[in-house]
Amino acid sequence: MKAVQTTIKKLYRNSRISQKLFLAFSLMIAIPAIIISFLFIRTQEAQLYKDAMAEGSSHVSRLEGQLRSRLTMLENASSTALTQKGFVDFIHSDMQADGLQLVKFRQNQYEQMHNIIQSYDLVSQLSFYVDNPGLHEIWPEIYRYDRFWPQDYWMTLREENGAAFRLFSLQEGEHTLSYYRLVRLQGQQNERPTIMEIRARHSAIFSDLLEERDGSFFSVVMDGSQPSRSVYNAAHASALVADGQLDDILTRVHSRLDVLQHDEPVQITSGDQTYYALYRYIAPLNAYIVDITSHQELMKGPRNWYFLVVAITLCVLLMMMVMISYMTRRIFRRLEMVLASMRKVRQGQLDAKIHTGLSDNDSGDEIDYVAVSYNSMLDEIQRLMTQVVDKQLIAKNAQLHSLHSQINSHFLYNALESIRMRAEVERQPAIAGALVSLGSLLRYSMQWRGDTVSLGDELSNIHSYIRFINFMEGTSFELRADLLPEVLRYPIPKMCMQPVVENAVHHAAPPGGSVAIEMNVSVENSFMLLIEIRDNGTGIDPLTLSRLQEEMADESDRPIVASRNGLGLANVHKRLQLHYGKGSGLSIESVQGAYTSVTIRLPWEQVNLGGW
């Protein structure tokens, strides 16, 4: 299983983005579509079940009313028969005593009773079972009591208020319903009472009630005590489909029937099918009218819906997938243009920009934004490459100037050393000190072993410069710098502080005067080194100060030009920003007649600080 998951992940990872998006969109559309289709079908099934149960309940109630009406007709037929008092009295007398009376009875009372029976369509036979030794049997209306079975059934009738219906008649009642009633006469209290039986064929009572109809239900009349004795239409489609399982279905349904609870449908399972049954209890008949249907029969209609919904869903999914495929191809055709441009850039064609076709006011979509950003990136790369070339040219030029100055460096150092020794011999210590300072300056400027020097070395060079200037011009410039040892070891760009001090020497001192220069070092926010060089000289006039600050604030990439006095403050600022970014450089503050403060900002704790 893990190997399969790994394989699937690998295939997914190696697939094209268009294929991944197509798969994602397909799942995003297919899953909701399947869920909605399933919910639609379930909703339709639930509604169909609800409608079918309502229809079945209505049908069962209608069958109940019709059956009760027919039972009432049988009761009315029995009451009408008992109104024939002459007939009833004669069959309880000695019918064999007078043959003439028997003939008259046959022609009159018997014929009247026969006509009454014929007037009721439901009645197939009316019989009296009489416990009378003098009875003359006239079939099928008049029988001796000993022909009735069971002999003690009259007791059951007495307990049931003298009358009872039976779904199946006691004698040869496989297809017959009977109504039994006790006939009570004076003087017969000690004898077995006469029983009147009205027989009605099942076909007459139930044929139209149990006939097959348009609905899905199969109607059955079940005996209340014996589930195996039921009346139904054997030619009904449901009976034919159930075939050998019908008895099991009826038995299971009968076991769930309840006389008091008949509002909720009964659900049973037989074989692999689920069946629902709606029923009503007919108390006079001690029987149930039951409508049975199978879940398969109920869902016969929704099956067609399933195919229709599935077909519609598949068509919609197919159309949407075609649209998605078309859209993804269009989107990734534009992305392919980006990839093609990247391949050209990788081969060195930095001018391989992407044509977006957008106007100045159009923003486009995300891919257009990527293309525009990519074009801007190419421009920025070209600009940065130009800056790198400028940086390398600056470094090479500085090295060339240094090498050019070193051509006769040994001769110059020897000459300065000879003059210094001559000054000491002639007891001129000031001249000797000046020559030492001048030699240090020359040696520091001519040697170019790397881009950076320690802050201490740069500071030592500035001290030499101050001493030499004081000797040459007879001034008394003072440099104060009390710095920590770890700061003195910190690497900084070579000659980044010298131009600032030189600017203070040449411009800060009043005519015939001198200034004090103070140097402080601090770290800002743990990532910027701040070197402040402050003098107490004449300051800078506001116009010149404003011009310098505007020049330092200028972020354009104009070429660096040496000023009249060499590397000016603005040029130092530009070089620092070129090498270390916009956060580095110089900042100047000055109050005319009070002070001038120049702050050098450099990266702090940068491993490869670099220089120029």
Side-chain angles (χ1 to χ4, degrees):
M1 186 64 183
K2 189 174 181 180
V4 174
Q5 293 178 350
T6 303
T7 304
I8 293 175
K9 289 181 179 178
K10 185 176 180 181
L11 290 174
Y12 179 80
R13 183 63 181 271
N14 295 332
S15 300
R16 297 175 63 87
I17 297 179
S18 58
Q19 295 173 341
K20 295 177 182 177
L21 284 179
F22 181 79
L23 177 62
F25 286 142
S26 300
L27 292 178
M28 288 172 63
I29 295 172
I31 292 176
I34 293 172
I35 293 175
I36 291 173
S37 301
F38 176 76
L39 292 177
F40 172 78
I41 293 172
R42 293 288 295 177
T43 302
Q44 293 298 320
E45 287 182 353
Q47 186 62 40
L48 180 65
Y49 172 80
K50 183 179 179 181
D51 295 343
M53 293 302 107
E55 179 188 356
S57 179
S58 175
H59 181 254
V60 168
S61 298
R62 187 165 62 252
L63 291 181
E64 178 189 14
Q66 293 175 350
L67 184 55
R68 287 183 181 275
S69 175
R70 295 179 185 188
L71 295 179
T72 301
M73 292 176 64
L74 296 181
E75 290 178 338
N76 293 338
S78 69
S79 298
T80 302
L82 292 180
T83 59
Q84 303 299 312
K85 193 172 184 304
F87 180 90
V88 174
D89 290 341
F90 189 77
I91 63 175
H92 287 87
S93 65
D94 187 0
M95 297 176 62
Q96 299 179 5
D98 188 349
L100 182 60
Q101 288 294 329
L102 181 60
V103 172
K104 290 181 179 181
F105 169 77
R106 184 69 179 268
Q107 293 176 348
N108 297 310
Q109 286 87 354
Y110 179 81
E111 191 64 26
Q112 290 176 2
M113 181 64 71
H114 185 73
N115 291 335
I116 290 173
I117 296 172
Q118 293 294 325
S119 65
Y120 288 92
D121 296 334
L122 295 179
V123 178
S124 61
Q125 180 179 327
L126 187 148
S127 301
F128 288 88
Y129 295 89
V130 185
D131 188 15
N132 179 11
L135 180 73
H136 180 81
E137 290 186 327
I138 303 175
W139 302 335
E141 283 79 11
I142 304 172
Y143 291 93
R144 295 184 183 276
Y145 191 85
D146 56 7
R147 293 182 181 273
F148 189 84
W149 183 92
Q151 295 286 306
D152 58 351
Y153 185 65
W154 64 273
M155 297 181 183
T156 303
L157 290 176
R158 187 175 61 184
E159 293 175 356
E160 297 182 2
N161 298 321
F165 286 94
R166 290 188 64 86
L167 182 60
F168 293 90
S169 300
L170 294 175
Q171 288 84 28
E172 300 177 357
E174 184 178 356
H175 301 292
T176 307
L177 178 149
S178 292
Y179 175 65
Y180 298 95
R181 184 169 179 175
L182 291 178
V183 180
R184 303 182 184 277
L185 295 175
Q186 293 288 340
Q188 286 193 341
Q189 292 82 356
N190 297 326
E191 300 177 1
R192 287 178 296 185
T194 299
I195 295 178
M196 181 177 62
E197 178 188 32
I198 296 180
R199 298 167 65 88
R201 295 186 182 89
H202 287 167
S203 58
I205 294 289
F206 301 114
S207 60
D208 59 334
L209 299 182
L210 304 181
E211 66 183 1
E212 190 168 358
R213 57 193 178 91
D214 295 337
S216 305
F217 286 91
F218 170 50
S219 300
V220 182
V221 179
M222 292 185 178
D223 186 274
S225 56
Q226 300 181 28
S228 60
R229 297 173 67 84
S230 301
V231 181
Y232 55 86
N233 181 5
H236 194 282
S238 298
L240 297 176
V241 171
D243 196 16
Q245 292 186 338
L246 184 59
D247 291 341
D248 180 66
I249 295 170
L250 297 179
T251 301
R252 291 176 182 272
V253 169
H254 190 277
S255 66
R256 299 288 302 278
L257 300 181
D258 190 336
V259 174
L260 301 178
Q261 300 290 336
H262 56 263
D263 294 330
E264 296 297 326
V266 170
Q267 179 178 336
I268 60 102
T269 301
S270 178
D272 58 350
Q273 291 290 327
T274 299
Y275 295 88
Y276 306 101
L278 295 162
Y279 65 96
R280 292 289 187 276
Y281 180 66
I282 310 299
L285 189 59
N286 187 27
Y288 296 92
I289 294 181
V290 186
D291 268 8
I292 303 173
T293 186
S294 67
H295 181 79
Q296 181 181 8
E297 189 69 21
L298 278 182
M299 297 301 115
K300 185 185 297 182
R303 287 197 196 98
N304 298 328
W305 304 342
Y306 298 162
F307 294 118
L308 180 62
V309 170
V310 169
I312 294 175
T313 302
L314 290 177
C315 291
V316 172
L317 287 177
L318 181 61
M319 292 176 60
M320 297 188 75
M321 287 181 180
V322 170
M323 293 178 61
I324 290 171
S325 177
Y326 174 74
M327 293 300 296
T328 52
R329 282 201 305 270
R330 285 188 59 86
I331 292 172
F332 284 97
R333 187 181 304 131
R334 296 162 59 203
L335 187 59
E336 186 63 33
M337 294 171 59
V338 177
L339 296 177
S341 177
M342 289 182 177
R343 295 188 191 100
K344 292 179 180 178
V345 170
R346 188 169 58 187
Q347 295 172 0
Q349 301 181 30
L350 295 180
D351 59 345
K353 293 186 177 181
I354 303 170
H355 177 67
T356 60
L358 296 175
S359 63
D360 295 337
N361 297 326
D362 294 337
S363 59
D365 56 13
E366 289 82 356
I367 295 181
D368 291 325
Y369 179 77
V370 170
V372 171
S373 300
Y374 180 76
N375 292 338
S376 300
M377 182 187 68
L378 290 181
D379 292 337
E380 183 67 15
I381 289 174
Q382 290 179 339
R383 187 184 67 81
L384 291 175
M385 290 180 67
T386 302
Q387 287 185 354
V388 170
V389 171
D390 289 344
K391 176 182 175 182
Q392 292 175 351
L393 287 175
I394 292 170
K396 293 297 181 182
N397 289 334
Q399 291 178 12
L400 287 174
H401 284 299
S402 176
L403 291 173
H404 180 72
S405 300
Q406 290 178 11
I407 292 174
N408 296 314
S409 60
H410 292 291
F411 173 78
L412 183 59
Y413 292 153
N414 293 334
L416 289 175
E417 183 64 19
S418 298
I419 296 172
R420 183 186 66 80
M421 292 180 64
R422 181 67 177 269
E424 288 183 354
V425 169
E426 294 183 359
R427 300 178 182 268
Q428 296 290 332
I431 297 175
L435 290 172
V436 171
S437 298
L438 180 59
S440 297
L441 288 172
L442 292 174
R443 188 177 295 107
Y444 185 79
S445 62
M446 290 180 180
Q447 291 179 351
W448 199 282
R449 296 191 180 95
D451 293 332
T452 60
V453 295
S454 67
L455 194 149
D457 290 343
E458 182 81 359
L459 184 59
S460 177
N461 181 64
I462 294 173
H463 276 294
S464 298
Y465 171 74
I466 293 295
R467 286 195 297 269
F468 182 75
I469 289 297
N470 286 336
F471 172 78
M472 290 293 295
E473 299 183 5
T475 56
S476 57
F477 291 106
E478 182 184 0
L479 178 63
R480 295 194 294 267
D482 187 12
L483 305 180
L484 297 175
E486 57 268 22
V487 174
L488 295 175
R489 293 191 297 269
Y490 191 77
I492 63 172
K494 188 176 182 180
M495 299 294 288
C496 69
M497 295 165 55
Q498 170 73 23
V500 179
V501 175
E502 185 177 350
N503 188 74
V505 168
H506 288 294
H507 303 289
S514 62
V515 295
I517 302 172
E518 184 178 356
M519 186 180 300
N520 294 304
V521 177
S522 62
V523 178
E524 180 183 56
N525 297 329
S526 300
F527 64 88
M528 292 301 294
L529 177 69
L530 274 59
I531 304 174
E532 182 186 16
I533 303 174
R534 184 185 183 95
D535 66 72
N536 58 356
T538 59
I540 306 174
D541 66 273
L543 183 61
T544 304
L545 178 62
S546 176
R547 179 179 57 78
L548 283 172
Q549 289 177 341
E550 288 179 2
E551 192 170 355
M552 291 183 182
D554 186 9
E555 296 184 356
S556 64
D557 295 327
R558 291 182 300 176
I560 301 171
V561 180
S563 67
R564 236 176 2 174
N565 299 319
L567 294 176
L569 296 182
N571 286 343
V572 174
H573 173 74
K574 291 292 184 181
R575 285 186 173 89
L576 290 175
Q577 286 199 333
L578 177 63
H579 287 80
Y580 309 123
K582 299 300 182 182
S584 301
L586 303 185
S587 61
I588 303 177
E589 295 181 2
S590 180
V591 176
Q592 193 170 10
Y595 73 92
T596 299
S597 175
V598 179
T599 302
I600 303 174
R601 300 173 63 88
L602 296 172
W604 173 249
E605 292 187 353
Q606 181 168 323
V607 177
N608 186 17
L609 187 65
W612 51 59

